[in-house]
Coordinates of all heavy atoms in Angstrom, one line a residue:
M1 N 1.6 -27.5 -35.8 CA 1.3 -26.8 -34.6 C 1.8 -27.6 -33.4 O 1.8 -28.8 -33.4 CB -0.2 -26.7 -34.5 CG -0.7 -25.9 -33.3 SD -2.5 -25.7 -33.5 CE -2.7 -24.7 -32.1
Q2 N 2.4 -26.8 -32.5 CA 3.0 -27.4 -31.3 C 1.9 -27.6 -30.3 O 1.1 -26.7 -30.0 CB 4.1 -26.5 -30.9 CG 5.1 -27.1 -29.8 CD 6.2 -26.2 -29.6 OE1 6.2 -25.1 -29.9 NE2 7.3 -26.8 -29.0
T3 N 2.0 -28.7 -29.6 CA 1.0 -29.0 -28.4 C 1.7 -28.8 -27.1 O 2.9 -28.9 -27.0 CB 0.4 -30.4 -28.6 OG1 1.5 -31.3 -28.5 CG2 -0.4 -30.6 -29.9
I4 N 0.9 -28.6 -26.2 CA 1.4 -28.3 -24.8 C 1.2 -29.7 -24.1 O 0.1 -30.2 -24.0 CB 0.6 -27.2 -24.1 CG1 0.9 -25.9 -24.8 CG2 1.1 -27.1 -22.7 CD1 0.0 -24.8 -24.4
D5 N 2.4 -30.1 -23.4 CA 2.3 -31.3 -22.6 C 1.5 -30.9 -21.3 O 1.9 -30.0 -20.6 CB 3.7 -31.7 -22.2 CG 3.7 -32.9 -21.3 OD1 2.7 -33.4 -21.0 OD2 4.8 -33.2 -20.8
P6 N 0.3 -31.5 -21.1 CA -0.5 -31.2 -20.0 C 0.3 -31.3 -18.6 O 0.1 -30.5 -17.7 CB -1.6 -32.2 -20.0 CG -1.7 -32.7 -21.4 CD -0.3 -32.6 -21.9
A7 N 1.1 -32.3 -18.5 CA 1.8 -32.4 -17.2 C 2.9 -31.2 -17.0 O 3.0 -30.7 -15.9 CB 2.6 -33.8 -17.2
E8 N 3.5 -30.8 -18.1 CA 4.5 -29.8 -18.1 C 3.7 -28.4 -17.8 O 4.1 -27.5 -17.0 CB 5.2 -29.6 -19.4 CG 6.3 -28.5 -19.4 CD 7.5 -28.8 -18.4 OE1 7.7 -30.0 -18.0 OE2 8.0 -27.8 -17.9
F9 N 2.5 -28.3 -18.4 CA 1.6 -27.1 -18.3 C 1.2 -27.0 -16.7 O 1.4 -25.9 -16.1 CB 0.4 -27.2 -19.1 CG -0.5 -26.0 -18.9 CD1 -0.3 -24.8 -19.4 CD2 -1.7 -26.2 -18.2 CE1 -1.1 -23.8 -19.2 CE2 -2.6 -25.2 -18.0 CZ -2.3 -23.9 -18.5
E10 N 0.8 -28.1 -16.3 CA 0.4 -28.2 -14.7 C 1.5 -27.8 -13.8 O 1.4 -27.0 -12.9 CB -0.1 -29.5 -14.4 CG -0.6 -29.7 -13.0 CD -1.9 -28.9 -12.8 OE1 -2.6 -28.7 -13.8 OE2 -2.2 -28.5 -11.7
K11 N 2.8 -28.3 -14.1 CA 3.9 -28.0 -13.4 C 4.2 -26.5 -13.4 O 4.5 -25.9 -12.4 CB 5.1 -28.8 -14.0 CG 6.3 -28.8 -13.2 CD 7.4 -29.7 -13.8 CE 8.7 -29.0 -14.0 NZ 9.6 -29.8 -14.7
R12 N 4.1 -25.9 -14.6 CA 4.4 -24.5 -14.7 C 3.4 -23.6 -14.0 O 3.7 -22.6 -13.4 CB 4.5 -24.0 -16.2 CG 5.8 -24.7 -16.8 CD 5.9 -24.3 -18.2 NE 7.1 -25.0 -18.8 CZ 7.5 -24.6 -20.0 NH1 7.0 -23.7 -20.7 NH2 8.6 -25.3 -20.4
V13 N 2.1 -24.0 -14.1 CA 1.0 -23.2 -13.4 C 1.3 -23.3 -11.9 O 1.2 -22.3 -11.2 CB -0.3 -23.8 -13.7 CG1 -1.4 -23.3 -12.8 CG2 -0.7 -23.5 -15.2
K14 N 1.7 -24.5 -11.3 CA 1.9 -24.6 -9.9 C 3.1 -23.7 -9.5 O 3.1 -23.1 -8.5 CB 2.3 -26.1 -9.6 CG 1.1 -26.9 -9.5 CD 1.4 -28.3 -9.0 CE 0.1 -29.2 -9.0 NZ 0.4 -30.5 -8.7
R15 N 4.2 -23.7 -10.4 CA 5.4 -22.8 -10.0 C 4.9 -21.4 -10.0 O 5.3 -20.6 -9.1 CB 6.4 -23.1 -11.1 CG 7.7 -22.3 -10.7 CD 8.9 -22.9 -11.4 NE 10.2 -22.3 -11.0 CZ 10.7 -21.2 -11.5 NH1 10.2 -20.8 -12.6 NH2 11.7 -20.7 -11.0
I16 N 4.2 -20.9 -11.0 CA 3.8 -19.5 -11.1 C 2.9 -19.2 -9.9 O 3.0 -18.1 -9.3 CB 3.1 -19.2 -12.4 CG1 4.1 -19.2 -13.6 CG2 2.3 -17.9 -12.4 CD1 3.5 -19.1 -14.9
T17 N 2.0 -20.1 -9.6 CA 1.1 -19.9 -8.4 C 1.9 -19.7 -7.1 O 1.7 -18.9 -6.3 CB 0.1 -21.1 -8.3 OG1 -0.6 -21.1 -9.5 CG2 -0.8 -20.8 -7.1
A18 N 3.0 -20.5 -7.0 CA 3.8 -20.5 -5.8 C 4.5 -19.2 -5.7 O 4.6 -18.5 -4.7 CB 4.8 -21.7 -5.7
I19 N 5.0 -18.7 -6.8 CA 5.8 -17.4 -6.9 C 4.9 -16.3 -6.5 O 5.2 -15.4 -5.6 CB 6.4 -17.2 -8.3 CG1 7.5 -18.1 -8.5 CG2 6.8 -15.8 -8.4 CD1 8.1 -18.2 -9.9
F20 N 3.6 -16.2 -7.1 CA 2.7 -15.2 -6.9 C 2.2 -15.2 -5.4 O 1.9 -14.2 -4.8 CB 1.6 -15.1 -7.9 CG 2.0 -14.4 -9.1 CD1 2.2 -15.2 -10.2 CD2 2.2 -13.0 -9.2 CE1 2.6 -14.5 -11.5 CE2 2.6 -12.4 -10.3 CZ 2.8 -13.1 -11.5
S21 N 2.1 -16.4 -4.9 CA 1.5 -16.6 -3.5 C 2.6 -15.9 -2.5 O 2.2 -15.3 -1.6 CB 1.4 -18.0 -3.2 OG 0.3 -18.5 -3.9
Q22 N 3.9 -16.2 -2.8 CA 4.9 -15.6 -2.0 C 4.9 -14.1 -2.0 O 5.0 -13.4 -1.0 CB 6.3 -16.1 -2.4 CG 6.5 -17.6 -2.0 CD 7.8 -18.1 -2.4 OE1 8.5 -17.4 -3.3 NE2 8.2 -19.3 -2.1
I23 N 4.7 -13.6 -3.2 CA 4.7 -12.1 -3.4 C 3.4 -11.5 -2.6 O 3.6 -10.5 -1.9 CB 4.5 -11.7 -4.9 CG1 5.9 -12.0 -5.6 CG2 4.2 -10.2 -5.1 CD1 5.8 -12.0 -7.1
A24 N 2.3 -12.2 -2.8 CA 1.1 -11.7 -2.0 C 1.3 -11.8 -0.5 O 0.9 -10.9 0.2 CB -0.1 -12.5 -2.5
E25 N 1.8 -12.8 -0.1 CA 2.1 -12.9 1.4 C 3.0 -11.9 1.9 O 2.8 -11.2 2.9 CB 2.7 -14.3 1.7 CG 1.7 -15.5 1.7 CD 2.4 -16.8 1.8 OE1 3.5 -16.9 2.4 OE2 1.8 -17.8 1.4
H26 N 4.1 -11.6 1.1 CA 5.0 -10.5 1.6 C 4.3 -9.2 1.5 O 4.5 -8.4 2.4 CB 6.2 -10.5 0.6 CG 7.2 -9.4 0.9 ND1 8.1 -9.4 2.0 CD2 7.4 -8.2 0.3 CE1 8.7 -8.3 2.1 NE2 8.4 -7.6 1.0
S27 N 3.5 -9.0 0.5 CA 2.8 -7.7 0.4 C 1.8 -7.5 1.6 O 1.7 -6.4 2.1 CB 2.0 -7.6 -0.9 OG 1.3 -6.5 -1.1
D28 N 1.1 -8.6 1.9 CA 0.2 -8.5 3.0 C 0.9 -8.1 4.3 O 0.4 -7.3 5.1 CB -0.6 -9.8 3.2 CG -1.7 -10.1 2.1 OD1 -2.0 -9.1 1.4 OD2 -2.1 -11.2 2.0
K29 N 2.1 -8.7 4.5 CA 2.8 -8.4 5.8 C 3.3 -7.0 5.8 O 3.2 -6.3 6.7 CB 4.0 -9.4 5.9 CG 3.6 -10.8 6.3 CD 4.9 -11.7 6.4 CE 4.5 -13.1 6.6 NZ 5.6 -14.0 6.3
Q30 N 3.9 -6.6 4.6 CA 4.4 -5.2 4.5 C 3.4 -4.1 4.7 O 3.6 -3.1 5.2 CB 5.1 -5.1 3.2 CG 6.0 -3.9 3.1 CD 6.8 -3.8 1.8 OE1 6.2 -3.9 0.8 NE2 8.0 -3.5 1.9
A31 N 2.1 -4.5 4.2 CA 1.1 -3.5 4.3 C 0.7 -3.2 5.7 O 0.1 -2.1 5.9 CB -0.2 -4.0 3.5
L32 N 1.0 -4.0 6.6 CA 0.7 -3.8 8.0 C 1.6 -2.7 8.7 O 1.2 -2.0 9.6 CB 0.8 -5.1 8.9 CG -0.2 -6.2 8.5 CD1 0.1 -7.4 9.2 CD2 -1.6 -5.7 8.6
I33 N 2.8 -2.6 8.1 CA 3.7 -1.6 8.7 C 4.2 -0.6 7.8 O 4.8 0.4 8.2 CB 4.9 -2.4 9.3 CG1 5.6 -3.2 8.3 CG2 4.5 -3.2 10.6 CD1 6.9 -3.8 8.8
R34 N 4.1 -0.7 6.5 CA 4.6 0.3 5.6 C 3.4 1.1 5.0 O 2.5 0.5 4.5 CB 5.4 -0.4 4.4 CG 6.0 0.7 3.5 CD 6.9 0.0 2.5 NE 7.3 1.0 1.5 CZ 8.5 1.6 1.5 NH1 9.3 1.4 2.5 NH2 8.8 2.5 0.5
C35 N 3.6 2.4 5.1 CA 2.4 3.3 4.6 C 2.3 3.1 3.2 O 3.3 3.1 2.4 CB 2.8 4.7 4.9 SG 1.6 5.8 4.3
P36 N 1.1 3.0 2.6 CA 0.9 2.8 1.2 C 1.2 4.1 0.4 O 1.3 4.1 -0.8 CB -0.7 2.5 1.1 CG -1.3 3.0 2.3 CD -0.2 2.9 3.4
Y37 N 1.4 5.2 1.1 CA 1.7 6.5 0.4 C 3.2 6.7 0.2 O 3.6 7.6 -0.3 CB 1.1 7.7 1.1 CG -0.4 7.7 1.1 CD1 -1.1 7.2 2.0 CD2 -1.0 8.2 0.0 CE1 -2.5 7.2 2.0 CE2 -2.4 8.3 -0.2 CZ -3.2 7.7 0.9 OH -4.5 7.7 0.8
K38 N 4.0 5.7 0.9 CA 5.5 5.9 0.7 C 5.9 5.1 -0.5 O 5.7 3.9 -0.7 CB 6.1 5.2 2.0 CG 7.6 5.4 2.1 CD 8.0 4.9 3.5 CE 9.5 5.1 3.7 NZ 9.9 4.7 5.1
N39 N 6.6 5.9 -1.4 CA 7.1 5.2 -2.6 C 8.4 4.5 -2.4 O 9.0 4.6 -1.3 CB 7.1 6.2 -3.7 CG 8.1 7.3 -3.7 OD1 9.1 7.1 -2.9 ND2 8.0 8.3 -4.5
R40 N 8.9 4.0 -3.4 CA 10.2 3.2 -3.3 C 11.3 4.0 -3.0 O 12.4 3.5 -2.6 CB 10.4 2.2 -4.5 CG 10.7 3.0 -5.8 CD 10.6 2.1 -7.0 NE 10.8 2.8 -8.2 CZ 12.0 3.0 -8.9 NH1 13.0 2.3 -8.4 NH2 12.0 3.6 -10.0
H41 N 11.2 5.3 -3.2 CA 12.3 6.2 -2.9 C 12.2 6.8 -1.5 O 12.9 7.8 -1.2 CB 12.4 7.3 -4.0 CG 12.6 6.8 -5.3 ND1 13.7 6.2 -5.7 CD2 11.7 6.8 -6.4 CE1 13.6 5.8 -7.0 NE2 12.4 6.2 -7.4
S42 N 11.3 6.3 -0.7 CA 11.0 6.8 0.7 C 10.5 8.2 0.6 O 10.7 9.1 1.5 CB 12.2 6.7 1.6 OG 12.5 5.4 1.8
Q43 N 9.7 8.5 -0.4 CA 9.1 9.8 -0.6 C 7.6 9.7 -0.2 O 7.0 8.6 -0.5 CB 9.3 10.4 -2.0 CG 10.7 10.7 -2.4 CD 10.8 11.0 -3.8 OE1 10.3 10.3 -4.7 NE2 11.6 12.0 -4.1
C44 N 7.0 10.8 0.3 CA 5.6 10.7 0.6 C 4.8 11.2 -0.6 O 5.0 12.4 -1.1 CB 5.3 11.6 1.8 SG 3.6 11.6 2.3
T45 N 3.8 10.5 -1.0 CA 2.9 10.9 -2.1 C 1.5 11.3 -1.6 O 0.7 11.6 -2.4 CB 2.7 9.7 -3.1 OG1 2.1 8.6 -2.4 CG2 4.0 9.2 -3.6
A46 N 1.4 11.3 -0.2 CA 0.1 11.7 0.4 C -0.2 13.2 0.2 O 0.7 14.0 0.2 CB 0.0 11.4 1.8
K47 N -1.5 13.5 0.0 CA -1.9 14.9 -0.1 C -2.4 15.6 1.2 O -3.0 16.6 1.2 CB -3.0 15.0 -1.2 CG -2.6 14.5 -2.5 CD -1.5 15.3 -3.2 CE -1.2 14.8 -4.5 NZ 0.1 15.3 -5.0
F48 N -2.2 14.8 2.3 CA -2.6 15.3 3.6 C -1.4 15.4 4.5 O -0.3 14.8 4.2 CB -3.7 14.3 4.2 CG -3.2 12.9 4.1 CD1 -2.5 12.3 5.1 CD2 -3.7 12.1 3.1 CE1 -2.1 11.0 5.0 CE2 -3.4 10.7 3.1 CZ -2.5 10.2 4.0
G49 N -1.6 16.0 5.7 CA -0.5 16.2 6.6 C -0.2 14.9 7.3 O -1.0 14.1 7.5
C50 N 1.0 14.7 7.7 CA 1.5 13.6 8.5 C 2.7 14.0 9.3 O 3.6 14.7 8.8 CB 1.8 12.4 7.5 SG 2.6 11.0 8.4
R51 N 2.8 13.6 10.5 CA 4.0 13.9 11.3 C 5.3 13.3 10.8 O 6.3 13.9 11.2 CB 3.7 13.5 12.8 CG 3.7 12.0 13.0 CD 3.5 11.7 14.4 NE 3.3 10.2 14.6 CZ 2.9 9.7 15.7 NH1 2.6 10.4 16.7 NH2 2.7 8.4 15.7
F52 N 5.3 12.4 9.9 CA 6.5 11.9 9.4 C 7.0 12.5 8.1 O 8.0 12.2 7.6 CB 6.4 10.3 9.1 CG 6.2 9.5 10.3 CD1 5.0 8.8 10.5 CD2 7.1 9.5 11.3 CE1 4.9 8.0 11.6 CE2 7.0 8.7 12.4 CZ 5.8 8.0 12.6
K53 N 6.2 13.5 7.6 CA 6.5 14.1 6.3 C 7.5 15.3 6.6 O 7.3 16.0 7.5 CB 5.2 14.7 5.7 CG 5.4 15.1 4.3 CD 4.1 15.7 3.8 CE 3.0 14.7 3.5 NZ 1.9 15.3 2.7
R54 N 8.5 15.3 5.8 CA 9.5 16.4 5.9 C 9.8 16.9 4.5 O 9.8 16.2 3.5 CB 10.9 15.8 6.5 CG 10.8 15.3 7.8 CD 10.6 16.3 8.9 NE 10.6 15.8 10.2 CZ 9.5 15.2 10.8 NH1 8.4 15.2 10.2 NH2 9.7 14.7 12.1
P55 N 10.0 18.3 4.4 CA 10.3 18.8 3.1 C 11.6 18.2 2.5 O 12.6 17.9 3.3 CB 10.5 20.3 3.3 CG 10.1 20.6 4.7 CD 10.0 19.3 5.4
S56 N 11.7 18.0 1.2 CA 12.9 17.4 0.7 C 14.0 18.5 0.5 O 15.2 18.2 0.3 CB 12.6 16.9 -0.7 OG 12.3 17.9 -1.6
G57 N 13.6 19.8 0.5 CA 14.6 20.8 0.3 C 14.6 21.2 -1.2 O 15.3 22.2 -1.5
V58 N 14.0 20.4 -2.1 CA 14.0 20.7 -3.5 C 12.5 20.9 -3.8 O 11.7 19.9 -3.7 CB 14.7 19.6 -4.4 CG1 14.6 19.9 -5.7 CG2 16.1 19.4 -3.9
D59 N 12.1 22.0 -4.4 CA 10.8 22.3 -4.7 C 10.1 21.3 -5.6 O 8.9 20.9 -5.4 CB 10.6 23.7 -5.3 CG 10.7 24.8 -4.3 OD1 10.6 24.5 -3.1 OD2 10.9 26.0 -4.7
S60 N 10.8 20.8 -6.6 CA 10.3 19.9 -7.5 C 10.1 18.5 -7.1 O 9.6 17.6 -7.8 CB 11.1 19.9 -8.8 OG 12.4 19.5 -8.6
E61 N 10.7 18.2 -5.9 CA 10.7 16.8 -5.3 C 9.6 16.6 -4.3 O 9.2 17.5 -3.6 CB 12.0 16.4 -4.7 CG 13.1 16.2 -5.8 CD 14.4 15.7 -5.2 OE1 14.4 15.4 -4.0 OE2 15.3 15.6 -6.0
L62 N 9.1 15.3 -4.2 CA 8.1 15.0 -3.2 C 8.7 15.2 -1.8 O 10.0 15.0 -1.6 CB 7.6 13.6 -3.4 CG 6.8 13.3 -4.6 CD1 6.6 11.8 -4.9 CD2 5.4 14.0 -4.5
P63 N 8.0 15.4 -0.7 CA 8.5 15.4 0.6 C 9.1 14.0 0.9 O 8.7 13.0 0.4 CB 7.3 15.7 1.5 CG 6.2 16.2 0.5 CD 6.5 15.6 -0.8
I64 N 9.9 14.0 1.9 CA 10.6 12.8 2.4 C 9.7 12.2 3.5 O 9.2 12.9 4.4 CB 12.0 13.1 2.9 CG1 12.8 13.6 1.8 CG2 12.6 11.8 3.6 CD1 14.1 14.2 2.3
C65 N 9.6 10.9 3.5 CA 8.9 10.1 4.6 C 10.0 9.7 5.6 O 10.9 9.0 5.2 CB 8.1 9.0 4.1 SG 7.5 8.0 5.5
T66 N 9.8 10.1 6.9 CA 10.8 9.7 7.9 C 10.4 8.6 8.8 O 11.1 8.2 9.7 CB 11.1 11.0 8.8 OG1 9.9 11.4 9.5 CG2 11.7 12.1 8.0
S67 N 9.3 7.9 8.4 CA 8.8 6.8 9.1 C 9.8 5.6 9.0 O 10.4 5.4 8.0 CB 7.4 6.4 8.7 OG 7.1 5.1 9.2
D68 N 10.0 4.9 10.1 CA 10.9 3.8 10.1 C 10.3 2.5 9.7 O 10.8 1.4 9.8 CB 11.7 3.6 11.4 CG 10.7 3.4 12.6 OD1 9.5 3.3 12.3 OD2 11.2 3.4 13.7
D69 N 8.9 2.6 9.3 CA 8.2 1.5 8.9 C 8.0 0.4 10.1 O 7.7 -0.8 9.8 CB 8.7 0.7 7.7 CG 8.8 1.6 6.5 OD1 7.9 2.6 6.4 OD2 9.6 1.5 5.6
Q70 N 8.2 0.8 11.2 CA 8.0 -0.1 12.4 C 6.8 0.2 13.2 O 6.5 -0.5 14.2 CB 9.3 -0.1 13.3 CG 10.6 -0.5 12.6 CD 10.5 -1.9 12.0 OE1 10.2 -2.8 12.7 NE2 10.8 -2.0 10.7
L71 N 6.1 1.2 12.8 CA 4.9 1.6 13.5 C 3.7 1.3 12.8 O 3.7 1.2 11.5 CB 4.9 3.1 13.9 CG 6.0 3.6 14.8 CD1 6.0 5.1 14.8 CD2 5.8 3.0 16.2
D72 N 2.5 1.3 13.4 CA 1.2 1.3 12.7 C 1.1 2.7 12.2 O 0.7 3.6 12.9 CB 0.1 0.9 13.6 CG -1.3 0.9 12.9 OD1 -1.3 1.4 11.8 OD2 -2.2 0.3 13.5
Y73 N 1.4 2.9 10.9 CA 1.4 4.3 10.3 C 0.1 5.0 10.3 O 0.1 6.2 10.3 CB 1.9 4.1 8.8 CG 0.9 3.3 8.0 CD1 -0.3 3.8 7.5 CD2 1.1 1.9 7.9 CE1 -1.1 3.0 6.7 CE2 0.2 1.2 7.1 CZ -0.9 1.7 6.6 OH -1.8 0.9 6.0
R74 N -1.0 4.3 10.5 CA -2.3 4.9 10.5 C -2.5 5.9 11.6 O -3.2 6.9 11.5 CB -3.4 3.9 10.5 CG -3.5 3.1 9.2 CD -4.4 1.9 9.4 NE -3.7 1.0 10.3 CZ -4.2 -0.3 10.5 NH1 -5.2 -0.7 9.9 NH2 -3.6 -1.1 11.3
S75 N -1.8 5.8 12.7 CA -1.8 6.8 13.8 C -1.2 8.1 13.5 O -1.4 9.1 14.2 CB -1.2 6.2 15.1 OG 0.2 6.0 14.9
A76 N -0.3 8.1 12.4 CA 0.4 9.3 12.0 C -0.5 10.2 11.2 O -0.2 11.4 11.1 CB 1.7 8.9 11.2
W77 N -1.5 9.7 10.6 CA -2.3 10.5 9.8 C -3.2 11.4 10.6 O -3.8 11.0 11.6 CB -3.3 9.6 8.9 CG -2.4 8.8 7.9 CD1 -1.1 8.9 7.6 CD2 -2.9 7.7 7.1 NE1 -0.8 8.0 6.7 CE2 -1.9 7.3 6.4 CE3 -4.2 7.2 7.0 CZ2 -2.0 6.2 5.4 CZ3 -4.3 6.1 6.1 CH2 -3.2 5.7 5.4
E78 N -3.4 12.6 10.2 CA -4.2 13.7 10.9 C -5.6 13.5 10.5 O -6.2 14.3 9.9 CB -3.7 15.0 10.6 CG -2.3 15.2 11.1 CD -1.6 16.5 10.7 OE1 -2.2 17.2 9.9 OE2 -0.6 16.8 11.2
S79 N -6.2 12.4 10.9 CA -7.6 12.1 10.6 C -8.4 12.2 11.9 O -7.9 12.1 12.9 CB -7.8 10.8 9.9 OG -7.5 9.8 10.9
K80 N -9.6 12.5 11.7 CA -10.5 12.5 12.9 C -11.7 11.6 12.6 O -12.6 11.9 11.8 CB -11.1 14.0 13.0 CG -10.1 15.1 13.4 CD -10.7 16.4 13.5 CE -9.7 17.4 13.8 NZ -10.3 18.8 13.8
P81 N -11.5 10.4 13.2 CA -12.5 9.4 13.0 C -14.0 9.9 13.2 O -14.9 9.5 12.5 CB -12.2 8.3 14.0 CG -10.8 8.5 14.3 CD -10.5 10.0 14.2
E82 N -14.2 10.7 14.2 CA -15.5 11.1 14.5 C -16.1 12.0 13.4 O -17.3 11.9 13.0 CB -15.6 11.9 15.9 CG -14.8 13.2 16.0 CD -13.3 13.0 16.2 OE1 -12.9 11.8 16.4 OE2 -12.6 14.0 16.3
S83 N -15.2 12.8 12.7 CA -15.6 13.6 11.6 C -15.9 12.7 10.3 O -16.9 13.0 9.6 CB -14.5 14.5 11.2 OG -14.2 15.4 12.2
V84 N -15.2 11.6 10.2 CA -15.5 10.7 9.1 C -16.8 10.1 9.3 O -17.6 10.0 8.4 CB -14.4 9.6 9.0 CG1 -14.7 8.6 8.0 CG2 -13.0 10.3 8.7
N85 N -17.1 9.7 10.5 CA -18.4 9.1 10.8 C -19.5 10.0 10.6 O -20.6 9.7 10.1 CB -18.4 8.4 12.2 CG -17.5 7.2 12.4 OD1 -17.3 6.6 11.4 ND2 -17.0 7.0 13.5
A86 N -19.4 11.2 11.0 CA -20.4 12.2 10.8 C -20.6 12.5 9.4 O -21.8 12.7 8.9 CB -20.0 13.5 11.5
M87 N -19.6 12.6 8.6 CA -19.7 12.8 7.1 C -20.4 11.7 6.4 O -21.3 11.8 5.6 CB -18.4 13.1 6.5 CG -18.4 13.4 5.0 SD -19.5 14.7 4.5 CE -18.6 16.1 5.0
R88 N -20.0 10.4 6.9 CA -20.6 9.3 6.3 C -22.1 9.2 6.6 O -22.9 8.9 5.7 CB -19.9 8.0 7.0 CG -20.2 6.7 6.2 CD -19.4 5.6 6.8 NE -18.0 5.7 6.2 CZ -16.9 5.3 6.9 NH1 -17.0 4.8 8.0 NH2 -15.7 5.4 6.3
A89 N -22.5 9.5 7.8 CA -23.9 9.6 8.1 C -24.6 10.6 7.3 O -25.8 10.4 6.9 CB -24.1 9.9 9.7
Q90 N -24.0 11.8 7.2 CA -24.6 12.9 6.4 C -24.8 12.5 4.9 O -25.9 12.7 4.4 CB -23.7 14.2 6.4 CG -24.3 15.4 5.8 CD -23.3 16.6 5.9 OE1 -22.3 16.5 6.6 NE2 -23.7 17.7 5.3
L91 N -23.8 11.8 4.3 CA -23.9 11.4 3.0 C -25.0 10.3 2.8 O -25.7 10.3 1.8 CB -22.5 10.9 2.5 CG -21.5 12.0 2.2 CD1 -20.1 11.3 2.0 CD2 -21.8 12.9 1.2
R92 N -25.1 9.4 3.8 CA -26.1 8.4 3.8 C -27.5 9.1 3.8 O -28.4 8.6 3.1 CB -25.9 7.4 4.9 CG -24.8 6.4 4.6 CD -24.8 5.3 5.6 NE -23.8 4.4 5.3 CZ -22.8 3.9 6.3 NH1 -23.0 4.3 7.5 NH2 -21.9 3.2 6.0
G93 N -27.6 10.1 4.6 CA -28.9 10.8 4.7 C -29.4 11.4 3.4 O -30.4 11.3 3.0
R94 N -28.3 11.9 2.7 CA -28.6 12.6 1.3 C -29.0 11.5 0.3 O -29.9 11.7 -0.5 CB -27.4 13.3 0.8 CG -27.2 14.6 1.5 CD -26.1 15.4 0.8 NE -25.9 16.6 1.7 CZ -24.7 17.3 1.6 NH1 -23.8 17.0 0.7 NH2 -24.5 18.4 2.3
A95 N -28.3 10.4 0.4 CA -28.5 9.3 -0.6 C -29.9 8.8 -0.4 O -30.6 8.4 -1.4 CB -27.5 8.2 -0.5
C96 N -30.4 8.7 0.8 CA -31.7 8.1 1.1 C -32.8 9.2 0.9 O -33.9 8.8 0.7 CB -31.8 7.5 2.5 SG -30.7 6.2 2.8
G97 N -32.5 10.4 1.1 CA -33.6 11.4 1.1 C -33.5 12.2 -0.1 O -34.1 12.9 -0.7
Ligands
SF4_1 S1 5.0 10.8 5.6 FE1 3.2 9.8 6.5 S2 1.7 9.6 5.0 FE2 3.6 10.1 4.0 S3 4.4 8.2 3.3 FE3 5.3 8.6 5.4 S4 3.9 7.7 6.9 FE4 2.8 7.8 4.9

């Protein structure tokens, strides 16, 4: 049976940790400007309206996202914060009563 050199194991764990840390840092930065509904083909996977969404021209394909990823994408979504808060309060009322 082959044994693992503890020093080599530690070295590899540190290397893997460094790699995943860099990926996580990049993801955190990108999440601030890139919409989570935009796939790698710049297609929109959201089921709600958005001013950046354009038809692809092909029925079987997802709509195209025209966002340049330089804006806070959350302002593009057609949400009504006051409605969300009202619904949240309503649901809490049901849960308690
Ligand atoms: S069209 Fe709007 S919701 Fe869809 S991926 Fe682009 S920014 Fe996101």
Side-chain angles (χ1 to χ4, degrees):
M1 183 173 182
Q2 197 171 13
T3 59
I4 299 172
D5 176 9
E8 185 64 27
F9 177 76
E10 182 70 24
K11 188 174 129 188
R12 291 180 184 191
V13 167
K14 282 183 180 175
R15 183 160 188 266
I16 289 172
T17 301
I19 291 169
F20 280 106
S21 294
Q22 288 175 350
I23 292 170
E25 283 173 24
H26 177 72
S27 177
D28 284 347
K29 284 180 193 166
Q30 192 178 48
L32 296 174
I33 56 172
R34 185 178 171 91
C35 177
Y37 291 96
K38 187 173 185 175
N39 69 17
R40 67 189 174 101
H41 302 294
S42 293
Q43 295 170 316
C44 177
T45 62
K47 300 296 183 197
F48 49 82
C50 174
R51 67 182 173 188
F52 292 121
K53 191 185 286 193
R54 300 287 183 277
S56 69
V58 180
D59 286 345
S60 60
E61 288 186 4
L62 290 168
I64 297 166
C65 174
T66 61
S67 169
D68 60 5
D69 298 335
Q70 299 302 309
L71 296 172
D72 182 343
Y73 60 85
R74 290 167 293 188
S75 65
W77 295 349
E78 295 173 352
S79 64
K80 295 180 181 173
E82 63 279 359
S83 298
V84 173
N85 289 335
M87 179 57 72
R88 192 171 284 148
Q90 186 179 352
L91 291 171
R92 282 191 183 129
R94 285 186 187 164
C96 296

